[in-house]
Amino acid sequence: MRLRHLVLTVLLVALAACASTPRQTLYQQFGERAGIEALVEELLVRVLEDPRINEGFAEVDLVNLNDRLVEQICVEVGGPCTYTGKTMAESHATLAVTEADFNALVEDLVDAMDARGIPRRAQNRLLVRLAPMHRDIVSP
Ligand code: HEM
Protein backbone atom coordinates (compact mmCIF):
# COMPACT_ATOMS: atom_id res chain seq x y z
CA MET A 1 0.00 0.00 0.00
CA ARG A 2 2.83 2.36 0.92
CA LEU A 3 4.60 1.64 -2.38
CA ARG A 4 1.44 2.43 -4.35
CA HIS A 5 1.19 5.69 -2.49
CA LEU A 6 4.79 6.54 -3.32
CA VAL A 7 4.35 5.66 -7.01
CA LEU A 8 1.23 7.81 -7.19
CA THR A 9 2.99 10.75 -5.54
CA VAL A 10 5.92 10.52 -7.96
CA LEU A 11 3.52 10.39 -10.92
CA LEU A 12 1.60 13.42 -9.68
CA VAL A 13 4.78 15.44 -9.15
CA ALA A 14 5.99 14.50 -12.65
CA LEU A 15 2.64 15.50 -14.15
CA ALA A 16 2.66 18.83 -12.35
CA ALA A 17 6.16 19.53 -13.62
CA CYS A 18 5.03 18.76 -17.18
CA ALA A 19 2.00 21.00 -16.94
CA SER A 20 3.97 23.94 -15.59
CA THR A 21 6.61 23.82 -18.35
CA PRO A 22 5.02 25.59 -21.31
CA ARG A 23 5.70 23.77 -24.56
CA GLN A 24 7.44 25.97 -27.12
CA THR A 25 6.26 26.06 -30.69
CA LEU A 26 8.79 25.20 -33.41
CA TYR A 27 8.90 28.89 -34.37
CA GLN A 28 9.76 29.80 -30.78
CA GLN A 29 12.47 27.11 -30.65
CA PHE A 30 14.08 28.85 -33.62
CA GLY A 31 14.05 32.12 -31.68
CA GLU A 32 11.22 33.65 -33.73
CA ARG A 33 12.05 36.20 -36.45
CA ALA A 34 15.27 37.49 -34.82
CA GLY A 35 16.54 33.94 -34.25
CA ILE A 36 15.84 32.98 -37.86
CA GLU A 37 17.63 36.10 -39.14
CA ALA A 38 20.67 35.18 -37.01
CA LEU A 39 20.47 31.58 -38.25
CA VAL A 40 20.44 32.60 -41.92
CA GLU A 41 23.44 34.85 -41.30
CA GLU A 42 25.28 31.89 -39.75
CA LEU A 43 24.25 29.73 -42.72
CA LEU A 44 25.37 32.20 -45.39
CA VAL A 45 28.74 32.76 -43.69
CA ARG A 46 29.30 29.00 -43.76
CA VAL A 47 28.12 28.58 -47.35
CA LEU A 48 30.34 31.41 -48.58
CA GLU A 49 33.33 29.87 -46.78
CA ASP A 50 32.56 26.35 -47.97
CA PRO A 51 34.94 25.50 -50.85
CA ARG A 52 32.64 22.64 -51.90
CA ILE A 53 29.87 25.03 -52.99
CA ASN A 54 30.85 28.70 -52.64
CA GLU A 55 31.73 29.26 -56.31
CA GLY A 56 28.07 29.03 -57.23
CA PHE A 57 27.26 31.99 -54.99
CA ALA A 58 29.88 34.40 -56.36
CA GLU A 59 27.51 36.33 -58.62
CA VAL A 60 24.41 36.07 -56.48
CA ASP A 61 22.43 38.95 -54.95
CA LEU A 62 23.12 37.95 -51.35
CA VAL A 63 20.73 40.47 -49.80
CA ASN A 64 17.88 38.94 -51.78
CA LEU A 65 19.03 35.39 -50.98
CA ASN A 66 19.28 36.27 -47.28
CA ASP A 67 15.80 37.81 -47.19
CA ARG A 68 14.13 34.98 -49.13
CA LEU A 69 15.78 32.34 -46.90
CA VAL A 70 14.57 34.14 -43.77
CA GLU A 71 11.02 34.18 -45.15
CA GLN A 72 11.19 30.57 -46.28
CA ILE A 73 12.57 29.16 -43.02
CA CYS A 74 10.10 31.28 -41.07
CA VAL A 75 7.21 29.77 -43.06
CA GLU A 76 8.57 26.22 -42.75
CA VAL A 77 8.82 26.45 -38.94
CA GLY A 78 5.25 27.75 -38.75
CA GLY A 79 6.03 31.43 -38.25
CA PRO A 80 3.80 34.34 -39.29
CA CYS A 81 5.68 35.08 -42.52
CA THR A 82 5.05 34.98 -46.26
CA TYR A 83 7.54 33.63 -48.77
CA THR A 84 7.82 36.12 -51.64
CA GLY A 85 10.59 34.45 -53.68
CA LYS A 86 10.67 32.22 -56.73
CA THR A 87 9.79 28.55 -56.52
CA MET A 88 12.64 26.15 -55.75
CA ALA A 89 12.36 24.76 -59.30
CA GLU A 90 12.56 28.25 -60.87
CA SER A 91 15.46 29.49 -58.76
CA HIS A 92 17.65 26.39 -59.15
CA ALA A 93 16.74 25.30 -62.69
CA THR A 94 19.93 26.47 -64.41
CA LEU A 95 22.35 25.96 -61.50
CA ALA A 96 23.16 22.25 -62.08
CA VAL A 97 23.05 21.53 -58.33
CA THR A 98 24.37 18.03 -57.55
CA GLU A 99 23.51 15.59 -54.79
CA ALA A 100 26.88 16.39 -53.15
CA ASP A 101 26.14 20.16 -53.31
CA PHE A 102 22.80 19.56 -51.64
CA ASN A 103 24.37 17.49 -48.85
CA ALA A 104 27.08 20.12 -48.33
CA LEU A 105 24.48 22.86 -47.89
CA VAL A 106 22.46 20.73 -45.46
CA GLU A 107 25.67 20.13 -43.45
CA ASP A 108 26.29 23.87 -43.33
CA LEU A 109 22.71 24.39 -42.17
CA VAL A 110 23.08 21.81 -39.37
CA ASP A 111 26.34 23.49 -38.27
CA ALA A 112 24.58 26.85 -38.27
CA MET A 113 21.66 25.45 -36.23
CA ASP A 114 24.12 23.89 -33.76
CA ALA A 115 25.90 27.24 -33.44
CA ARG A 116 22.55 28.88 -32.65
CA GLY A 117 21.82 26.26 -29.99
CA ILE A 118 18.66 25.02 -31.71
CA PRO A 119 17.65 21.67 -30.20
CA ARG A 120 18.23 18.62 -32.41
CA ARG A 121 14.55 17.68 -32.40
CA ALA A 122 13.64 21.13 -33.68
CA GLN A 123 16.43 20.95 -36.28
CA ASN A 124 15.06 17.67 -37.55
CA ARG A 125 11.57 19.10 -37.86
CA LEU A 126 12.90 21.79 -40.20
CA LEU A 127 15.01 19.30 -42.18
CA VAL A 128 11.97 17.08 -42.73
CA ARG A 129 10.13 20.08 -44.21
CA LEU A 130 13.05 20.94 -46.51
CA ALA A 131 13.75 17.38 -47.68
CA PRO A 132 10.96 17.23 -50.31
CA MET A 133 12.45 20.34 -51.99
CA HIS A 134 15.39 18.14 -53.00
CA ARG A 135 13.59 17.00 -56.15
CA ASP A 136 13.19 20.60 -57.36
CA ILE A 137 16.69 21.75 -56.41
CA VAL A 138 19.01 18.92 -57.48
CA SER A 139 19.38 18.57 -61.24
CA PRO A 140 18.42 15.20 -62.68
C1 HEM B 1 17.21 22.70 -48.89
C2 HEM B 1 18.05 23.27 -49.72
C3 HEM B 1 17.86 24.65 -50.33
C4 HEM B 1 16.95 25.62 -50.08
C5 HEM B 1 15.80 25.59 -49.06
C6 HEM B 1 17.24 26.73 -50.95
C7 HEM B 1 16.55 27.92 -50.97
C8 HEM B 1 16.78 28.96 -51.84
C9 HEM B 1 16.03 30.19 -51.90
C10 HEM B 1 14.84 30.54 -51.02
C11 HEM B 1 16.54 30.95 -52.89
C12 HEM B 1 16.08 32.36 -53.34
C13 HEM B 1 15.03 32.27 -54.45
C14 HEM B 1 14.70 33.66 -54.99
O1 HEM B 1 15.62 34.41 -55.33
O2 HEM B 1 13.50 33.98 -55.11
C15 HEM B 1 17.66 30.21 -53.43
C16 HEM B 1 18.51 30.67 -54.43
C17 HEM B 1 19.69 30.09 -54.74
N1 HEM B 1 20.14 28.84 -54.36
FE1 HEM B 1 19.19 27.61 -53.08
N2 HEM B 1 18.31 26.41 -51.73
C18 HEM B 1 18.73 25.15 -51.37
C19 HEM B 1 19.79 24.45 -51.90
C20 HEM B 1 20.74 25.00 -52.71
C21 HEM B 1 21.97 24.34 -53.10
C22 HEM B 1 22.38 22.95 -52.65
C23 HEM B 1 22.65 25.22 -53.87
C24 HEM B 1 24.00 25.06 -54.52
C25 HEM B 1 25.01 24.55 -53.88
C26 HEM B 1 21.84 26.42 -54.00
C27 HEM B 1 22.19 27.52 -54.71
C28 HEM B 1 21.40 28.64 -54.86
C29 HEM B 1 21.80 29.83 -55.63
C30 HEM B 1 23.13 30.02 -56.35
C31 HEM B 1 20.72 30.73 -55.57
C32 HEM B 1 20.63 32.12 -56.19
C33 HEM B 1 19.97 32.06 -57.54
C34 HEM B 1 19.87 33.47 -58.13
O3 HEM B 1 19.70 34.45 -57.40
O4 HEM B 1 19.96 33.56 -59.34
N3 HEM B 1 20.69 26.24 -53.29
N4 HEM B 1 17.78 29.01 -52.80
Side-chain angles (χ1 to χ4, degrees):
M1 229 22 196
R2 271 195 120 140
L3 182 68
R4 257 176 72 179
H5 194 98
L6 184 70
V7 169
L8 212 78
T9 308
V10 168
L11 275 176
L12 279 174
V13 169
L15 249 172
C18 269
S20 66
T21 316
R23 204 176 282 258
Q24 282 198 317
T25 64
L26 187 58
Y27 179 57
Q28 287 167 339
Q29 288 181 292
F30 273 77
E32 304 193 345
R33 182 85 188 193
I36 294 166
E37 283 169 3
L39 170 64
V40 169
E41 199 175 315
E42 292 274 357
L43 169 64
L44 287 180
V45 166
R46 282 168 173 74
V47 166
L48 297 176
E49 282 177 354
D50 187 339
R52 296 173 294 180
I53 52 174
N54 59 6
E55 267 176 38
F57 292 87
E59 309 279 295
V60 164
D61 174 353
L62 291 175
V63 173
N64 171 68
L65 181 59
N66 178 86
D67 295 352
R68 300 295 78 76
L69 282 170
V70 169
E71 290 172 356
Q72 188 186 41
I73 292 177
C74 181
V75 169
E76 296 306 329
V77 299
C81 304
T82 306
Y83 176 68
T84 64
K86 299 180 201 156
T87 65
M88 291 301 93
E90 276 165 3
S91 49
H92 300 87
T94 59
L95 299 177
V97 175
T98 66
E99 196 69 47
D101 295 337
F102 190 87
N103 292 340
L105 188 131
V106 170
E107 265 179 48
D108 293 341
L109 175 60
V110 170
D111 283 351
M113 291 191 289
D114 281 343
R116 293 289 309 150
I118 295 167
R120 273 295 161 108
R121 262 177 72 93
Q123 295 188 17
N124 289 339
R125 287 178 66 191
L126 173 63
L127 294 175
V128 162
R129 303 283 311 239
L130 298 181
M133 298 177 188
H134 174 278
R135 72 174 83 92
D136 292 328
I137 292 172
V138 174
S139 291

